[in-house]
Amino acid sequence: MKKHRKPIQYLILAFAVLIGGYAIGRSFFTTQSVLKAGSEAPAFELADLSGQTHDLDSYKGKPLVLNFWGTFCPPCRDEMPALQKEYDKWKDQGLQLVGINLSEDRISVQQFAASVGARFPILLDRNKITEKRYGLKEYPTTFFISSDGHIQEIAIGGPMSEEDIDSHIKRLFETSPKS
Amino acid sequence: MLQFQNTKCECGHQNPTGTVLCESCGKPLVEDLPLDSPLEMRYDGVARRSQKANPDLLDRVWNFFSSVKIAVWLIVITLIGASVGTIFPQEDTFINLDDPAQYYKDTYGTWGYIYQSLGLARTYESWWFVGLLAMIGTSLVICSLDRVLPLYRALSKQQIRKHHAFLTRQQTVYIGQLEQEPAAWTSSFANQLRRKRYRVTAEDTALLAEKNRFSRWGPYINHIGLIIFLLAVLARGIPSWHLDEYVSMDEGQTKQIPNTNYFVKNDKFTVEFYKDEELPPELKGTNRAKLYRTEATLYECTANCNDTTGKDPVLKEVAQHDIEVNSPLSYHGLDLYQYNYEPQARLISVRPMLVDSRTGKSYGPFDLPMNDPPLTYEAGPYTLKLSNVFPDFGLDDQNRPMTKTRDPNNPAFVFIVTGPGLSEDGEMYIYFPLPSGDDKTIQNQINQSLQKAGSNSGRFTFEVGKMENVSFSQYTTFLNVRVDRAMPFIWVGAGISMIGLIMGFYWQHRRIWLRIEDGKLTLGAHTNKNTYGIRAELAAALNKTGVAVEPKALDNRRNTR
Amino acid sequence: MNWLSISSNAFIFAFALYCASFIGYAIAVAGRRWSNRDVEAHTKRWSRIAFALAIIGWLGHLTFFLTRWKGGGHIPTSNMYEFMTFLGMAIMFAFIVVNLIYRNPLVGAFATPLVVIIIAYASVFPSEVQPLIPALNSYWLKIHVTTAASGEAFFAVGFAAALVQLLRVVDFSRKDKLGKREQFWVEAVLFVVIIIVGFLVSVFSFRAGGYSAEFQQEKFSIDQQGNEQSSIQKVTYGLPPIVAPYNSEKLSMTPYLGIDKPLFEAPHWMNGVNAGRKLNTVLWSVISGLILYGLIRLILRKPIAAVLHPYLDGIDPEDLDEISYRAIAIGFPVFTLGALIFAMIWAQIAWSRFWSWDPKEVWALITWLFYSAYLHLRLSRGWLGTRSAWLAVIGFIVVLFTLIGVNLVIAGLHSYAGV
């Protein structure tokens, strides 16, 4: 009994440190991690207006602008033409610009996109799943994602002007490794 | 600080360092105690396990947690910390709180802002509070271990004949000349005590009577229960052991329970209010809910559960229950509780008729659900193609129709009608199923402007007719979905703790020692709680065996007069 | 005659007998100093009378409880009136138990007025039987509330005994700093009791005078969807408004002392249920308590504690220490079971979480932690006598804050029981 006292004490203290450390450590990570510049863009797999599915991986290798928007959100509606213009301007240099609609009916999205002349690819989120994955708090939110899949900048709120978008895209191209 | 005295007793027993009373005969070993004060009987005067001569680092850490003083400090700091957490509501009392800092500033002013930025709005999840609980847990283990083992040893090998100093310095003492023959008196006294359910062991003219020793283990059993409880609370952090989500549903809606493969459907929601005559005067006329209930169906999803590409999830019904406040739906550790409800009138579906205003003929009705409406409808010979949907109709700043939100608060549908007598491209009409007057006006205005633009001929209108063609959801129900696999351990811990408390507080360990020399009886008695009780018991036994004494007279405590 | 009217008669009966019992105990204790009689016999006789009155009163109280249960259709512990009267009944029960063990008239002399005050306090709240909201409609609630109140009742008796002990041992001849401090704090405890009495006096006298004032208050709240909503509420005052509710307009108000409008408005962060009215009540209690205390001091011409002290001579403070400790030791497991374990079971069923750090829960935990500290200090560190008595007094203050203060100051899940 006496012989084993020391090891038993060590064992109990080790347990206390382990369990206590786990408990305290966990308290640091209770807040959900928020997406920041530098984080990896969360994966998604979504259908476009014609029903074809696309995932994030298929956009890798080239800079990507991801715009979350909805027809119920006035600034989203207002920045559509600017986005389209910037898309036309940069797409030949390899820019990909994708709008992700905020879980609305396909028919409303189609109608609206047609009415404002948005011809860049539009994907349809469902049940707010992708939107939650990207931790959206305000609409619109636009993610500028470099060709290696990391978020470089996040533009929250809108509408953004053509110049705004342009400068974001320029920075995206400056830092993105050319593929 | 401890003093390291010579621990060898005059009776020849070698005691461990830190012993207060000789483990064998009970003679006080620490001589700096006031000579006439009652003896220190905690843990029977044995050394705590951790008391030793040359403490190293391990011993020091161990001693820290082994100290009751430290334990009390931990308790006090914890209770102060806990009270600080109640000054303002904690963050988790708000379901949707996007910017806590701003909210606390707006709602509670500068103090609220300081409170929030110090992290006090999350007191109970903070590292320091959790750390305090962890330290209390450690202290519970080490304190108990250090005391219960020596105490167990001391109580299981008690000497019957105790030192005079030990007897005369108990809280309850009797010293007197015995008139009877010692051996005969001892045995009749022993019988009296046995009748009171004491276990009596005698040795010549010395005697030890003891009862309810088990109550000494009460505190330790309580501590074991508390440790289990604390570990169970911690185990709730294992991801699959714990889930806490909210689902809000209108009637008829099916929703996925976030972070699970389960879906739940609100088949029907009902609320009953107290009738006026059931209410006291000051509450008359108010809607006081008596009962609310969600008739719910739980589905397990077997495929395409989190699909975002348009494939519908494959659902299998697994449970059905009428969820009320005190009656959750339970399925395989998943519990769905009625959390709240909100009056929120929403259309589920309508069955309108297409009316030809020229002929007065109506066609249909056709089914128009508000959620996921199909793209085409048949009404008599006419085909209606859905061309646009506005769940919450409004106009943007350029007066173009838009939806204000994604919720079906005020749905509007745009149809293209084709059929006999209509042009190839069809005619375009907008339809507001909500029967409010405002909507009907807007509907007419828009249809007239469409007519002006040549999109329609103004020939068709939509009519619902009877109310049974409209199905409504009056309330949104809020369910709280929980998984808590640690609960059984929580209850077991609480139960054990309770058993320990009852053992320790409602029974008292009582011991009586006596020795007779030359007809002089020296008697000492000890209990850890309720000295009143033992005095009464002892006085009764003495009186019955011919030693007249008042219970009060047995009291040996100094401050008594 | 229906159940509820039997019930309210039984209540008045019980209340009267409790008052009589208190007077009996007062005579038993005070009579020790009367010269013309045998002290032992006098004390014994009057203690017996008082105890008999207390028991009969308690039976009346029990009748009140049972008939109200029958008449109201649910156990009468669901609003503040019912809960406080139940607490009074539980304290009386705890006192009877402790008195049967120890037979000490002094504890009675302090426990009975405590019960009288608590029952009078209960009567401040509307006494109508109210229908239950669904969350309260569970038998676990009944078990939780009754058990918790019983545990707290033993703490109350422990408090009464500890207070007597403090009054007994405080040394009024001491002039040094420590002695002065002790005298001050004992007096302070009595002062707090007077404040509560002041509260009761002001409430009942303005109620008897039919006083009322009305305000209209606009309140903002955030609903489940996160939208801000405003609602307009009418707030009725039974005491003249010194403080108006935050963001409110006066509707009607009987002038008092020539003042016809409130002097202040409550700060915005006091946003609990009827926060403004509660703050007003607290102000009135303090004011009338101060006046009352001033009057008493004027008549007695020395601290109240110094007046009571001589009557307690010849009582063994060790006995009081034991009684106080014993009452707490009996109450602790009951409290643990009722206020924590049963509360957790009920919360698990009703609110879907056994523990949600709701202020009321936290304060129950604080009470429990406090008494655990008390027990550890006493059992393992030898804190006996005065120190332990002070802890018992503070402990009961914590209990009262948990029961009343939390509802008054902090609103949580339990806020249905507001003042």
Side-chain angles (χ1 to χ4, degrees), chain B residues 42-43 86 95-96 244 274 290 326 337 340 342 480 482 490 498 506 508 529-532 552 559, chain C residues 102 131-132 134 137 224-225 318-319 322 325-326 330 333-334 348 350 352-354 357 363 379-380:
Chain B
R42 304 193 289 252
Y43 321 115
T86 61
I95 294 179
N96 294 313
D244 183 2
Y274 280 104
K290 187 178 188 176
N326 288 316
Y337 293 86
N340 205 347
E342 214 173 69
N480 182 206
R482 312 264 305 167
I490 295 224
M498 207 50 228
Y506 295 154
Q508 300 97 30
K529 292 178 191 77
N530 193 7
T531 55
Y532 230 86
K552 199 87 197 168
N559 310 5
Chain C
Y102 294 102
L132 288 176
N137 200 357
Q224 298 291 346
Q225 255 83 45
E318 302 264 339
D319 281 354
E322 162 109 21
Y325 165 58
R326 200 66 203 296
I330 294 173
V334 180
Q348 179 67 26
S352 77
R353 54 205 63 215
F354 72 100
W357 295 108
W363 276 94
L379 292 173
S380 297

Side-chain angles (χ1 to χ4, degrees), chain A residues 1 5-6 8-10 12-13 16 19-20 22-24 26-28 30-31 45-47 51 53 71-74 77-78 102-105 107-108 111-112 116 124-126 128-133 137 139, chain B residues 49 52 56 58-59 61-62 65 98 122 125-127 130-131 134 138 141-142 145 149 231 234 237-238 256 306-312 372-373 375 386-389 396-398 400-406:
Chain A
M1 186 68 209
R5 173 174 296 180
K6 263 261 131 100
I8 291 174
Q9 287 186 331
Y10 272 119
I12 291 172
L13 281 178
I19 294 174
Y22 167 69
I24 296 172
R26 222 182 51 203
S27 71
F28 284 109
T30 44
T31 43
E45 189 186 7
L46 298 169
T53 61
T71 67
F72 56 89
C73 137
R77 298 164 68 98
D78 294 345
L102 300 164
S103 312
E104 292 181 280
D105 281 320
I107 189 132
S108 323
Q111 285 288 344
F112 176 77
V116 293
L124 299 169
D125 190 17
R126 285 181 94 209
K128 309 184 184 176
I129 289 172
T130 313
E131 165 185 345
K132 277 183 189 151
R133 224 174 268 169
K137 285 181 176 164
Y139 312 126
Chain B
R49 225 175 105 131
K52 55 191 276 191
D56 58 17
L58 171 75
D59 295 322
V61 174
W62 189 268
F65 284 111
D98 286 337
R122 307 180 67 92
E125 294 101 69
S126 67
W127 60 269
V130 175
T138 311
V141 174
I142 292 177
L145 216 56
L149 296 176
L231 287 177
L234 195 65
I238 301 170
Q256 183 175 21
N306 291 303
D307 184 82
T308 44
T309 59
K311 283 181 247 145
D312 284 324
D372 281 333
L375 291 177
L386 191 64
S387 137
N388 210 344
V389 182
D396 69 3
D397 48 9
Q398 293 160 53
R400 293 174 304 186
M402 70 176 285
T403 181
K404 288 185 288 191
T405 66
R406 282 177 279 185

Side-chain angles (χ1 to χ4, degrees), chain B residues 190-210:
Chain B
N191 277 334
Q192 283 301 326
L193 291 178
R194 281 199 190 95
R195 210 168 280 173
K196 301 250 179 199
R197 278 178 289 129
Y198 277 86
R199 277 190 298 122
V200 183
T201 40
E203 188 186 280
D204 307 333
T205 49
L207 177 147
L208 162 66
E210 183 179 13

Side-chain angles (χ1 to χ4, degrees), chain A residues 44-55 58-59 98 106 110 121-125, chain B residues 307-311:
Chain A
F44 59 78
E45 189 186 7
L46 298 169
D48 63 16
L49 290 174
S50 60
Q52 262 202 304
T53 61
H54 303 261
D55 59 13
S58 61
Y59 296 107
V98 175
R106 177 186 304 259
Q110 254 164 357
I122 287 172
L123 305 181
L124 299 169
D125 190 17
Chain B
D307 184 82
T308 44
T309 59
K311 283 181 247 145

